Amino acid sequence: MGEPSQHDGVTPFDYPDFVTYLGQSIAEMRAAPQDAKTWLPISKHLTLPLRLTGDDDHMATLRTDDEVRGLLAGLTGRRAPAFAVLCRGPGHADVLVGETTTAPSTGHVPIGPAGSVALLPFRQLTERGLPCRDDGTPLRVLVATERHLVPRAALERVLPAGAEVVDARFDEDDESYAARVREVVTGQPGGGVTHCLLRRGFTARLRRPGPASVLALLGGLLRGERGAYWTFAVHEGGSGGLALVGAPPQGQVRLSGGEVVLRPTCGTYHHPGTGPSAEGLVSFLRDDKEFGELVTTVDAELASLCALGPAEIRVEGPLLLPMSRLTHTGCVLRATGVPDARRVLAGTMFAATAIGSPLTGALRLIAEREPDGRGHYGGAVALLEPDGSLDAATLIRTCEVEGSGRVRVSVGATVGAGSSPAAETAETRVKVDALLAALRGSGAAAQPAPPPRPGVLAADAVLDALSARRRELASHWTHPAPAREDDRGPVLVVDLGDHGAAALAHLVRRCGWRPVVRTAADVAATGLGVPGATVLLGPGPGHADDPALAAVRELVDAALRAGREVRGVGLGFQVLARLLGFGVALRRSADRSRAVPSFGIPDNMPLRNAFAVTGPAPDGVQAHRDDVTGEVLALRGRTAAGVQFRPESVAAAGGAGVLGALLHPAAR
Ligand SMILES: C=C(O[C@@H]1C=C(C(=O)O)C=C[C@H]1O)C(=O)O
Ligand SMILES: NC(=O)CC[C@H](N)C(=O)O
């Protein structure tokens, strides 16, 4: 059984696949701890330290192939216990055995003496009060009483490489999925959803149902897929039990040693038949549509993380995540000061890459445009340890195998304003093909694709393109300054929806102010309390004239008349502008703001608004406009000021400076 949290992989480059960490700068690599046990030569100039923590001490339980064979025979025999095989690093796999139960909510997940594995279905989002179709999929928990560490190499030798999967087909043809994508692309503006992920269902059948085939599918994935955060199988036990088998690229959340780590991923490069090329990777990294998907995904996950109230947060990346046939991009978000595993798990439901942004709007679109519930797709599989630590993977690139042998796979591609329905449809096909080829193993016509050659991933041009993207990210997240000691005063941050204020409030604190976050409903009920506080209206979904915001508008109007300092960002900026006498209309074009030098606002701020502030500036208010569309990007009045873009965004390089200046009364 051993100490569960001591062997959780490779640090500091703790992805299963070391090449992932080519996203680090060479200086950062050199600065890695000196006690590294293994050094991996990547190229002439570059050696990566790979520190395998405690592997030797904890490989203990099983060593020989025969011992592993014996263990697996016990899982597939008559007794058919509930089990999980989790490969979370290159060295070993955790095998947990026990019984399956269900839990009413994330807060009630029981933790077994040897840990628990929870399967969180997508409908669990209802716990956060978010709109999603409740298809009744239960929250299953494998409560483990027995645990083994098994060398991954032994599993690969002992398990069959794949199982026979037949009658494989998409639930709907390419044209029909492409038509749904097109509807989302063209129907978006009024809805204000920048990205949305539409599920596409796929079904197949396992020729020989049962736990032995489930393990054979895992064997296929272990050999045929690579670069996954986890490669895993979980079986609920019994002859008719449900199993999940997958190789998801995204780490949902990890909590260990007081640190929370999220690994949002998005953006997809399909490798050509000959494997990824340096030119292909460079054009993928330079593709603004793909990068835009990544940054909105990171922003959404930062918002969830900030809502947990951590002390410190740091963003690393972007990184390349090369898999067998696809390479994705991702970032790593690290936070300290959030100790409770169940709270962390509940608060980070679920990966933005499987939903879209803003969250509530994207979820509404999903409920409207997807014909049925999602089952586990977009949910998470989580390992909860008796010592309070947690590790979880996002349930994508995963198949659900029913006791009858029916196999369900779900995939999706991120749909945004620039999406081509044909390309997104092709992307869903490639994702399923890669999974299926691996699940079927060598029996299928499709052979594993050639591995990415380290020389390609470490090519100067690729590293340069990664560095260029890294420089576009806001330093207030990538290199946060030490927390300021000074207290410049209270700021009442009003959350106008979608938990959008949490990340903004985090940045307000970094700027030396004392944020107090209240929802629009709180404010409507209790007023703009907090004596002496500057009011900062935050971002949010929807239109500034939304009747739901009537009470907030009235209170802010009165506050302005009384000479109180009011600021606005995103939707909050639009609300403020309306009160001052501007108009608000659907936005015309342009993705990024153009220079607004007189406000000290850097160029290229990310605009993600569907609406724009328009019309002539009322008396006593200065308006700063986009020089092409004339739309208002920033304003300043007597005691009011605001900006359209969101200074807290990971894409807002210089955003902290803008927010600091915005909050300061003297800067008006
Ligand atoms: C949601 C899925 O994949 C996610 C979406 C991606 C994209 O749209 O580029 C890339 C990787 C994943 O984070 C899926 O495979 O179903
Ligand atoms: N960034 C935001 O807060 C978006 C504001 C508003 N919902 C819009 O779509 O324009």
Side-chain angles (χ1 to χ4, degrees), residues 189 192 538-544 569-572 574 608-612 644-646:
H543 194 285
V569 156
L571 178 62
Q574 297 169 0
R608 259 177 239 144
N609 44 311
F611 300 101
Q644 175 61 71
F645 70 91
R646 298 170 57 170

Side-chain angles (χ1 to χ4, degrees), residues 296-664:
T296 50
T297 302
V298 171
D299 274 339
E301 298 211 0
L302 267 175
S304 307
L305 191 56
C306 288
L308 290 170
E312 303 280 336
I313 302 187
R314 201 184 139 90
V315 175
E316 294 167 10
L319 312 168
L320 284 173
L321 309 174
M323 303 190 75
S324 66
R325 295 172 180 220
L326 303 168
T327 294
H328 302 302
T329 37
C331 282
V332 180
L333 319 186
R334 297 181 190 277
T336 54
V338 192
D340 183 76
R342 292 185 188 90
R343 200 164 82 83
V344 167
L345 192 56
T348 52
M349 292 191 297
F350 277 125
T353 193
I355 299 173
S357 169
L359 202 58
T360 308
L363 282 165
R364 284 213 188 89
L365 258 185
I366 287 170
E368 267 168 44
R369 304 285 174 169
E370 292 185 0
D372 42 26
R374 282 188 163 196
H376 292 91
Y377 179 62
V381 50
L383 171 64
L384 293 109
E385 303 281 15
D387 71 354
S389 59
L390 161 77
D391 191 12
T394 301
L395 286 172
I396 57 176
R397 308 314 147 72
T398 295
C399 58
E400 302 187 25
V401 185
E402 291 168 11
S404 65
R406 181 168 180 259
V407 177
R408 249 172 62 123
V409 181
S410 296
V411 275
T414 304
V415 181
S419 280
S420 134
E424 303 302 353
T425 304
E427 184 172 317
T428 59
R429 225 167 234 293
V430 179
K431 284 173 174 171
V432 166
D433 285 350
L435 184 68
L436 214 64
L439 290 168
R440 284 172 162 161
S442 49
Q447 290 297 318
R453 284 175 293 121
V456 168
L457 289 152
D460 284 347
V462 175
L463 293 175
D464 287 349
L466 267 175
S467 301
R469 285 305 192 188
R470 198 171 311 118
R471 283 193 298 273
E472 284 181 44
L473 298 188
S475 60
H476 54 262
W477 295 118
T478 58
H479 298 86
R484 300 180 65 112
E485 296 296 320
D486 48 346
D487 179 3
R488 299 183 164 181
V491 174
L492 172 66
V493 187
V494 185
D495 194 334
L496 297 187
D498 251 0
H499 318 279
L504 183 63
H506 187 88
L507 193 59
V508 166
R509 185 176 305 108
R510 307 301 303 192
C511 289
W513 299 76
R514 194 161 16 96
V516 180
V517 181
R518 294 269 189 279
T519 63
D522 289 344
V523 166
T526 62
L528 294 167
V530 195
T534 298
V535 177
L536 173 58
L537 301 172
H543 194 285
D545 293 346
D546 189 333
L549 300 176
V552 170
R553 279 193 302 267
E554 233 167 78
L555 287 162
V556 172
D557 197 28
L560 283 170
R561 286 174 203 285
R564 191 155 172 188
E565 301 283 344
V566 181
R567 305 290 181 269
V569 156
L571 178 62
F573 166 74
Q574 297 169 0
V575 168
L576 186 58
R578 288 291 286 144
L579 291 174
L580 293 173
F582 287 95
V584 168
L586 268 182
R587 216 179 130 206
R588 289 207 272 140
S589 63
D591 285 332
R592 312 206 112 194
S593 79
R594 289 152 220 262
V596 206
S598 53
F599 265 68
I601 295 174
D603 198 4
N604 258 1
M605 287 294 126
L607 287 173
R608 259 177 239 144
N609 44 311
F611 300 101
V613 171
T614 57
D619 278 351
V621 182
Q622 285 173 276
H624 294 256
R625 300 171 190 272
D626 180 302
D627 48 18
V628 175
T629 63
E631 291 165 352
V632 180
L633 300 173
L635 67 80
R636 243 184 242 172
R638 199 167 55 85
T639 59
V643 290
Q644 175 61 71
F645 70 91
R646 298 170 57 170
E648 80 282 12
S649 167
V650 78
V658 172
L659 183 64
L662 189 68
L663 288 174
H664 223 280

